[in-house]
Amino acid sequence: PEALKLNVIYYNQSVIALQIEPMVIEWLKVKVPIALREKYIEKDAEIWTATLSKYSGYVGKEIWFNPQDESELIMVIYW
């Protein structure tokens, strides 16, 4: 995704909140047999990521591997 932007919100000269943009809107976990993992990622990019990228506000998507469970993929989608 593009670079993250940090907004600091103040009240009476004190920091009361931090807002990070772009925001993670979706955090999806899926189980995929290890033998099919690369094919799943290819098809996900071909079908789902290609579709999401057509919507305004879509920033990007990352796919993470769970080091404690090789069959679990975590998809983080930024808007």
Side-chain angles (χ1 to χ4, degrees):
E2 63 188 44
L4 296 177
K5 176 180 162 188
L6 178 65
N7 295 320
V8 181
I9 301 168
Y10 295 93
Y11 178 76
N12 286 340
Q13 299 180 345
S14 297
V15 175
I16 60 167
L18 298 175
Q19 178 185 29
I20 299 174
E21 296 176 13
M23 184 184 292
V24 173
I25 299 296
E26 298 177 63
W27 179 281
L28 308 172
K29 291 183 178 183
V30 295
K31 293 270 193 174
V32 179
I34 296 168
L36 299 174
R37 185 168 63 186
E38 292 307 314
K39 188 64 158 177
Y40 181 91
I41 292 170
E42 287 174 23
K43 287 296 182 184
D44 178 74
E46 179 183 313
I47 299 167
W48 196 231
T49 305
T51 300
L52 289 176
S53 67
K54 295 176 184 174
Y55 288 90
S56 66
Y58 175 76
V59 174
K61 179 177 175 181
E62 296 176 356
I63 297 180
W64 301 345
F65 301 103
N66 181 343
Q68 289 139 2
D69 181 352
E70 292 184 4
S71 69
E72 184 176 81
L73 299 176
I74 301 165
M75 291 179 272
V76 183
I77 300 160
Y78 299 91
W79 292 87

